[in-house]
Amino acid sequence: MQTVHENQPKELQRSMKSRHLFMLSLGGIIGTGLFLGSGYAIGEAGPAGAIVAYLFGGLLMYLAMICLGELSVVMPVSGSFQVHATKFIGPATGFVIGWIYWLSWALYVGLEFVAAGLLMARWFPNIPVWVWCMIFTVLLFTINALTTRSFAETEYWFAGIKVLTVILFIIIGAAAMFGLIHMDAQPAPFLSNFMGDGLFPTGFTGVFISMMTVVYAFQGSEIMGVAAGETENPQQSIPRAIRSIVIRVLLFYVLAIFVLSAIVPWQEAGVLESPFVTVFEMVGIPYAADIMNFVILTAVLSVGNTGLFACTRILFSLSQNGMAPPLFGKLNRRGVPINALLITLLFALLSLLTSVVAEETLFVVLLSISGVGGVLTWMAIAFAQYRFRKQYIREGGKVENLKFRVPFFPFVPILCILMCLGIFVFTAYDSTQRNSLYWGLGFVAACYIFYYFRYARRKVKVEVPALTNDQPNDFVQ
């Protein structure tokens, strides 16, 4: 039987290098959730509570990433966890995960166009926001429509700007915190803001509420798996990227939150548009607001760029598996799924209309689905890895032959699933977010029902890649 892996060089090009894969994952995590959302987390949970929330989110991200890593090394395909879920959980789950993930990212791509236009309004107040939306739409479409390499190279530099900003912030903020740099004639705070109202001034309720925001900020790391099908030497690149990214993300996030909490009182952090701007202005950096406006603009465009890529590949994968129209599996001469890219862009632009004409109804529902979709994706990744390893051993595979393997199996995937379920429980107890859980899970149920009515009577044949390790032939069919 001919496999997807054998067809892949004739279709999607393996033109991403290891550095692209690493920066793609890093850039998918470091964005507006840190630059803008960190103040909300500190305001909700207090200084120590915010750090605990980010450590929780980082641990959950790590568990999901290593599960995805094992699967992506043995099955380095575009579509990644959608294909993994289809093979090791079932076609219905693969269908649901693929479509909910596509919808989530497509919606956020549209929102990023608006955010970019609003950021540009700071410098060009007389130009309508919709003009900038169109300019950035054309820009990101062009980048994604050229080649995979053009997307990867652009995202590499987008991510580099964000990483450099966070590093400089940590260094400058730490120096101000310990009095090496003066702040508006104020004495060095040291750790006074941690001790003033206690480590957990809002109690553990605030920590739980902020955990949900923090976990959503970490989502995007799974983009690495989507890109695995277009990466050179995925068996080497993926493990290297996973080992590097988890440690660095935790350092970036936790150190940045630690510095923010030390300099800005937690009561003020929650109402600041961007605490990063506040800290840079306090230490006297000229044009601090403009500098951060540019960095946040870069982060917004990075999310839009990555979102278009992820949506295109997921839709391509669904088409290859017979779960979307064959039209979306067509490639242009550069090896890009151009029809999938166009329909994603069209949906993203249409979603902008719902934010205007149906803001309190359809738009709220779409946002709710997006929030739930990310956590469900991580759960599916962990469950697929659990099912893969069980089947792998049952059919004669040796764990030591896996080039990248999840340690402490089955504890790791089970813990990941339980932590994801915990996120849903926290959401159910928060009255402001409870409805999003209902809408999101309701959409998932509707997808399962649609799948069984539309596809159950038609046997969907899913071709999967051969494993890269020596395994019995009947296992890979």
Side-chain angles (χ1 to χ4, degrees), residues 204-224:
F204 283 99
T205 301
V207 177
F208 292 145
I209 292 175
S210 64
M211 277 181 182
M212 292 176 282
T213 302
V214 168
V215 168
Y216 295 149
F218 277 120
Q219 288 170 7
S221 57
E222 70 282 343
I223 294 294
M224 177 204 68

Side-chain angles (χ1 to χ4, degrees), residues 170-181:
I170 292 172
I171 294 172
I172 294 171
M177 173 183 167
F178 293 106
L180 301 178
I181 296 177

